[in-house]
Amino acid sequence: HFALIKFQEQEEKVPEGSNRYWWKRIAPPLEFGSMHAILFQMGLIPLTMSRLSISAASSTVLNRFIPFNRMLRFHIHLGYTMVLIVFLATIFFFAFFGLLCSDGDASFCAKMTSEIMITGYCILAFLLVIGGSAFYRDRMPYEIFYALHHLVFIVYAIATAHTLDVAQRTQEKDRSQTFKWYSATLLYYLCDRAAMHMNHRYFTSIAASSAVSSSEGSRMAIIKLYRPTLFHFRPGQYCMLRIPAIDTHWHPFSIASGPDSDYLEFYIEVHAGTSWTNKLWGMIDNHGDQSLPKKQKFGYCKLSSETIVVEVRGPYGTEIHSGINEFSHVLAVGSGTGIVPMLSLLKHHIHQLRCLHPESYFQEQKLCDRKTQHLLDLNGMGNGKRHFDGPNSYANYTTNVCKGMNALMGKTQSRLSLSIGAMAQMDMSEKEQKTSLAHIRRESRKVKLGIYGGVMNLLPPVFGVSMIGLTLSWNTIPIELYDGMDKVLQVGTIVFQSLFALVAVAAHYQSPRFLAYTDAVIFVISAFVDWYWFVKGLWANFGPGDLTNYVLLLSYMIIRMWYDAVESKNKSWRKEVSRSGFLTLDKVTFIWVTRSASLVSKIVPDIIGLWDGLSKAWGEEAARKVCDISIFITDKDDDACTSLLKEVKGSSINELGAIKFQRPDLQDIIENHTIDRINDKRGVHSSTLLAFCGSPKLSAHIHHAKIANDISTVISGNSLHQMDFVSESYGSSKKSRETSIYPKPKQDITPKRVNTIYNDGVDRFDVEKHTEVLFSQECGSSFEIVSSYNGPFY
């Protein structure tokens, strides 16, 4: 919009044939347009920093349209985009002025040192500092990063002064003022921050604390605070802590305790040097912190817990999933300190169960299952499940083969051999094998089309927003439009409305009847309005009323299409069939992966207490039906592992087999969970939430495994079991070993399962040939390395 205005202005100002004609025609419009793009970013950024508002909005219906749990990531992307645009625009404009200055134009030489250019240089310098500190935020103390990030307010001040230069003050030029773009959102952020300080701030003290160190040198501080009476939170949220005895800085930490607890628990990773966490370690470590100078140690280790005043502010952030009670099962996976929100969820789940009577609970569950089955039958969805009975059943074979379907997504190709090997062990003729492979190819094609279609559904709303932007721009722009621009608006609007009609028809059977009727009415109205604008020749000449009607009609279509694109297709009937309205998860599977046996030894007593309390109230057999706990430890310190074994010896957790000194195969865990749900004869419909908190790399691996599992589920004819995935990554990143979702094989030992599959399968089944048949036609050259590999499969 603004670049086009400047382009026509330059067309009038710059005579044809003048020196550097096209430089003078192109450079100012690019600079003017990029400046307003930067201002648009600056207007959005304060909204992404409004923690209190984001936390409140995440518990409303808006969370179904806007991913508030990704707001931090959105904030980071906006910041990097703004820094990049400012950097490129400054370099380009500096080159433009320098080029004309070198040609002898003294006016451009003077502009390079003008007031507006100097403020532009300052904005670039501050943004580079902010962007650089954000990029290296994991390698510097949090306090430094936090302080440098607040330089953004200086950027806003300089940006305001940028267009209030001497030319504007002397009325030599009438510049477009920058503050108009961001003053409202910046004021909103300041009000949000003031509300945080005034309304959600509490004083408390430490009830208990402990210091944990591992063989690899990592340390963790565990503190338990008395919970303020008015402090309410949900699993997955965090709060800000400040200890005046250390410094005046606030630090964010996830809450590990359950929402019903009288305490607030935190597991805080400790960093070296003079960091805040290291000073906290010095306060709670019985031996003191020898790395701190004497004047800083200050007798921290001598302070009693009750004398340490802690300020708490919050809660902030979003819960693990806003509609978690709509799921029947949860796979809660956490790595390292990422287990904190999952532990909070586990505590909340067990507390809810202990408030119920087990017999009444299971009776209610059976009744809900019958009602769900009835609703599925009414909706024509009652025949979407097959059971796995025996290792040689076709369904089991299909699931085993489909363990390799994640190769369709280009990931984890090493598991393909296990799938083909499993099929090789089946008592099937060559014709049956070919028929089954053809079936899998057809079904995998359908699943892939569904995945691609889901992605494509996001494009029409984006296209609709673009059409609203172009229509508002070209109908209000103070210049003469070029030929064909009105045709662009006409064709673009009709195409978008046609897409809306297609989406509305496709979603007709899944949408509520009221919305389906509303979609039809809106489409008919838009068709008549388009006809009216054609007859009157109003395209690109809209008045205020026409613009309002246009924006309202397209906004409805955009919201409906966006809702259809982002709304989970995994329909749950739990709320509809519950008699009491008190919804509790059928089962929570708690999985913790950690490298520190010492950390487990500090936390496992709480987990043992949770399990013992549930087992005592419900009985161990019933407790196993509603809760499962697995702790995978990969600590290399034999002494720490031995000590942990001695501590848990004879405990209920040890008898449960929850402590495992190995790396988990999360792919198998996900697949086995799905098989269990499909084999559950209690009901035909179940929905699982796969929740993960930990490193981004492991999160990506688990997401790929989940997609592969979805493909396997659909191909095997079990589409009524559904799984959603949510992930949260936080904390500092360190140089560490390669993370994998698969157990690391020992180099000197070949797994027995692989030996059996390979040795027994090759005699009766051409692995390489059928691998190529299964994948080469479907995915082209993506799997050349798989079909040409002749060695053992691991």
Side-chain angles (χ1 to χ4, degrees):
H1 179 88
F2 293 97
L4 187 59
I5 294 175
K6 181 63 70 172
F7 183 77
Q8 287 205 359
E9 289 181 359
Q10 292 299 109
E11 185 178 13
E12 298 174 358
K13 291 181 179 179
V14 182
E16 291 190 22
S18 61
N19 182 41
R20 309 286 184 182
Y21 174 75
W22 282 110
W23 272 94
K24 295 177 181 178
R25 286 289 309 277
I26 299 298
L30 285 178
E31 184 275 336
F32 199 59
S34 62
M35 182 191 77
H36 286 85
I38 294 165
L39 293 174
F40 181 66
Q41 310 283 330
M42 295 179 70
L44 290 177
I45 283 178
L47 297 178
T48 65
M49 299 188 299
S50 304
R51 295 179 180 176
L52 189 60
S53 299
I54 292 172
S55 299
S58 66
S59 59
T60 66
V61 70
L62 292 176
N63 197 54
R64 304 178 69 176
F65 301 92
I66 304 173
F68 289 105
N69 61 319
R70 300 296 183 93
M71 198 58 66
L72 177 60
R73 192 172 301 179
F74 182 48
H75 171 80
I76 293 172
H77 286 312
L78 279 178
Y80 283 146
T81 302
M82 184 173 70
V83 172
L84 180 62
I85 295 176
V86 171
F87 178 77
L88 294 179
T90 303
I91 297 300
F92 180 77
F93 217 56
F94 192 81
F96 170 61
F97 280 0
L99 187 64
L100 294 180
C101 179
S102 64
D103 290 340
D105 193 332
S107 62
F108 282 93
C109 295
K111 287 181 179 179
M112 295 183 67
T113 57
S114 63
E115 184 179 335
I116 194 170
M117 287 297 290
I118 292 175
T119 54
Y121 300 150
C122 294
I123 292 173
L124 174 62
F126 278 106
L127 286 180
L128 289 177
V129 171
I130 296 171
S133 65
F135 187 79
Y136 293 104
R137 62 187 180 276
D138 297 333
R139 305 180 188 180
M140 65 174 62
Y142 174 80
E143 295 84 358
I144 295 178
F145 160 74
Y146 189 72
L148 290 177
H149 226 56
H150 277 70
L151 293 177
V152 71
F153 295 107
I154 298 180
V155 172
Y156 279 101
I158 298 176
T160 302
H162 182 67
T163 51
L164 292 173
D165 63 334
V166 63
Q168 173 68 24
R169 295 195 298 270
T170 59
Q171 297 184 351
E172 179 182 343
K173 289 185 177 181
D174 185 18
R175 300 191 186 278
S176 175
Q177 295 303 307
T178 57
F179 70 88
K180 298 177 181 178
W181 286 80
Y182 50 76
S183 57
T185 56
L186 190 60
L187 179 61
Y188 182 88
Y189 163 75
L190 295 175
C191 293
D192 183 272
R193 189 157 183 174
M196 286 169 54
H197 281 274
M198 293 186 294
N199 300 327
H200 296 266
R201 192 171 176 178
Y202 312 92
F203 292 88
T204 185
S205 60
I206 298 178
S209 62
S210 60
V212 184
S213 59
S214 70
S215 60
E216 297 182 352
S218 61
R219 297 175 297 165
M220 177 171 291
I222 303 176
I223 61 173
K224 180 183 290 187
L225 308 179
Y226 293 106
R227 176 178 172 177
T229 304
L230 298 179
F231 189 94
H232 302 284
F233 67 95
R234 302 182 298 275
Q237 290 189 298
Y238 70 95
C239 66
M240 309 287 288
L241 300 182
R242 181 168 73 173
I243 300 180
I246 298 179
D247 59 28
T248 58
H249 295 289
W250 293 92
H251 296 262
F253 298 105
S254 291
I255 306 170
S257 53
D260 47 83
S261 174
D262 293 330
Y263 302 95
L264 297 177
E265 298 177 57
F266 303 92
Y267 303 142
I268 302 172
E269 190 173 5
V270 177
H271 300 279
T274 58
S275 65
W276 186 89
T277 56
N278 202 23
K279 295 175 183 178
L280 175 63
W281 172 277
M283 297 177 70
I284 65 176
D285 185 15
N286 291 331
H287 303 288
D289 187 355
Q290 303 303 322
S291 64
L292 291 176
K294 290 184 178 179
K295 63 179 181 179
Q296 286 186 341
K297 287 173 69 172
F298 182 76
Y300 282 162
C301 58
K302 297 180 181 179
L303 292 177
S304 63
S305 299
E306 288 75 10
T307 61
I308 302 176
V309 177
V310 181
E311 293 184 61
V312 180
R313 200 172 69 189
Y316 305 121
T318 59
E319 60 182 315
I320 293 176
H321 194 285
S322 58
I324 194 169
N325 286 328
E326 296 182 5
F327 295 91
S328 59
H329 296 75
V330 171
L331 276 175
V333 185
S335 63
T337 56
I339 199 60
V340 171
M342 306 307 163
L343 188 57
S344 177
L345 174 63
L346 177 66
K347 293 177 179 178
H348 181 54
H349 174 63
I350 291 179
H351 174 77
Q352 284 188 317
L353 292 175
R354 294 185 63 180
C355 294
L356 304 174
H357 190 276
E359 293 183 5
S360 301
Y361 170 80
F362 288 119
Q363 288 177 359
E364 172 78 9
Q365 202 176 60
K366 291 179 181 179
L367 178 61
C368 290
D369 291 338
R370 289 197 297 269
K371 290 183 177 180
T372 300
Q373 177 63 64
H374 179 64
L375 289 174
L376 292 174
D377 292 337
L378 291 177
N379 287 273
M381 300 167 59
N383 298 318
K385 183 171 179 176
R386 301 174 184 172
H387 290 285
F388 293 173
D389 299 320
N392 291 327
S393 67
Y394 172 76
N396 191 33
Y397 141 70
T398 305
T399 301
N400 283 329
V401 173
C402 292
K403 286 182 180 180
M405 286 294 111
N406 50 2
L408 289 172
M409 313 308 295
K411 302 292 181 183
T412 58
Q413 298 178 9
S414 61
R415 297 182 64 86
L416 177 61
S417 61
L418 298 180
S419 305
I420 303 301
M423 186 174 66
Q425 293 183 312
M426 304 302 301
D427 295 329
M428 303 172 66
S429 65
E430 184 177 353
K431 181 179 180 180
E432 289 174 329
Q433 291 169 353
K434 290 182 178 179
T435 302
S436 299
L437 289 170
H439 167 76
I440 291 175
R441 285 201 302 271
R442 288 194 303 270
E443 294 299 322
S444 65
R445 189 180 298 113
K446 293 179 183 178
V447 175
K448 287 194 298 180
L449 288 176
I451 294 174
Y452 299 149
V455 176
M456 294 297 292
N457 282 342
L458 297 172
L459 299 181
V462 176
F463 179 56
V465 172
S466 301
M467 289 310 305
I468 288 182
L470 289 177
T471 301
L472 290 174
S473 172
W474 294 354
N475 282 275
T476 58
I477 198 168
I479 61 173
E480 183 178 353
L481 298 180
Y482 294 100
D483 294 337
M485 293 178 71
D486 57 337
K487 298 296 182 183
V488 171
L489 295 182
Q490 295 173 10
V491 174
T493 301
I494 293 174
V495 169
F496 173 73
Q497 292 172 347
S498 301
L499 291 174
F500 168 75
L502 293 175
V503 172
V505 171
H508 171 70
Y509 295 102
Q510 299 177 352
S511 302
R513 183 172 298 179
F514 172 77
L515 287 180
Y517 290 155
T518 305
D519 293 342
V521 171
I522 291 295
F523 180 76
V524 171
I525 292 176
S526 64
F528 275 106
V529 172
D530 291 345
W531 171 80
Y532 173 78
W533 288 332
F534 273 115
V535 172
K536 297 296 183 178
L538 294 177
W539 287 99
N541 292 296
F542 287 164
D546 297 317
L547 276 178
T548 302
N549 293 331
Y550 184 92
V551 171
L552 289 176
L553 288 172
L554 262 69
S555 295
Y556 173 84
M557 297 179 182
I558 291 169
I559 293 173
R560 279 289 290 123
M561 296 172 78
W562 179 258
Y563 174 79
D564 184 70
V566 302
E567 177 69 3
S568 175
K569 302 302 184 292
N570 299 348
K571 171 63 178 176
S572 172
W573 302 96
R574 289 171 59 82
K575 288 185 177 180
E576 287 83 350
V577 301
S578 176
R579 289 186 303 179
S580 63
F582 185 78
L583 295 176
T584 305
L585 295 167
D586 290 358
K587 187 174 183 179
V588 170
T589 302
F590 176 84
I591 301 171
W592 183 17
V593 186
T594 178
R595 295 175 181 169
S596 175
S598 301
L599 175 60
V600 175
S601 67
K602 294 292 184 181
I603 299 177
V604 77
D606 286 344
I607 298 178
I608 293 174
L610 290 171
W611 178 256
D612 288 345
L614 180 61
S615 299
K616 183 178 180 180
W618 280 47
E620 185 171 345
E621 182 180 353
R624 287 174 179 263
K625 293 180 180 180
V626 295
C627 186
D628 188 25
I629 298 173
S630 297
I631 303 174
F632 294 90
I633 305 166
T634 59
D635 198 332
K636 293 182 178 180
D637 187 348
D638 293 336
D639 294 335
C641 294
T642 303
S643 175
L644 175 61
L645 277 176
K646 292 180 179 179
E647 292 178 13
V648 300
K649 184 178 180 180
S651 67
S652 56
I653 286 293
N654 189 50
E655 295 176 358
L656 187 66
I659 304 294
K660 303 176 177 66
F661 292 93
Q662 64 187 57
R663 182 174 295 181
D665 188 339
L666 294 175
Q667 172 96 30
D668 271 348
I669 290 174
I670 295 172
E671 291 172 348
N672 291 334
H673 171 82
T674 301
I675 293 173
D676 289 341
R677 299 283 62 74
I678 294 170
N679 279 333
D680 186 0
K681 297 180 181 180
R682 184 174 55 82
V684 301
H685 182 271
S686 61
S687 53
T688 297
L689 175 66
L690 175 59
F692 172 77
C693 187
S695 69
K697 181 177 289 187
L698 186 55
S699 173
H701 282 307
I702 294 177
H703 195 191
H704 296 147
K706 184 264 180 186
I707 293 175
N709 185 73
D710 289 346
I711 295 175
S712 303
T713 304
V714 174
I715 289 177
S716 59
N718 295 284
S719 57
L720 286 184
H721 176 74
Q722 303 158 344
M723 180 178 289
D724 283 0
F725 176 71
V726 293
S727 175
E728 184 65 36
S729 300
Y730 66 93
S732 58
S733 61
K734 306 176 185 62
K735 294 182 180 179
S736 59
R737 299 189 299 268
E738 184 73 14
T739 304
S740 174
I741 60 174
Y742 311 120
K744 192 173 183 179
K746 298 179 180 179
Q747 295 181 354
D748 58 339
I749 299 177
T750 302
K752 293 182 180 180
R753 182 170 63 152
V754 175
N755 269 331
T756 302
I757 291 173
Y758 183 71
N759 295 331
D760 294 346
V762 169
D763 294 336
R764 296 183 288 107
F765 191 78
D766 189 342
V767 176
E768 179 181 350
K769 174 183 175 182
H770 285 275
T771 301
E772 189 170 356
V773 169
L774 178 59
F775 292 106
S776 61
Q777 296 179 9
E778 196 67 36
C779 303
S781 60
S782 300
F783 300 95
E784 286 184 4
I785 188 171
V786 177
S787 60
S788 63
Y789 183 63
N790 296 312
F793 294 102
Y794 295 97

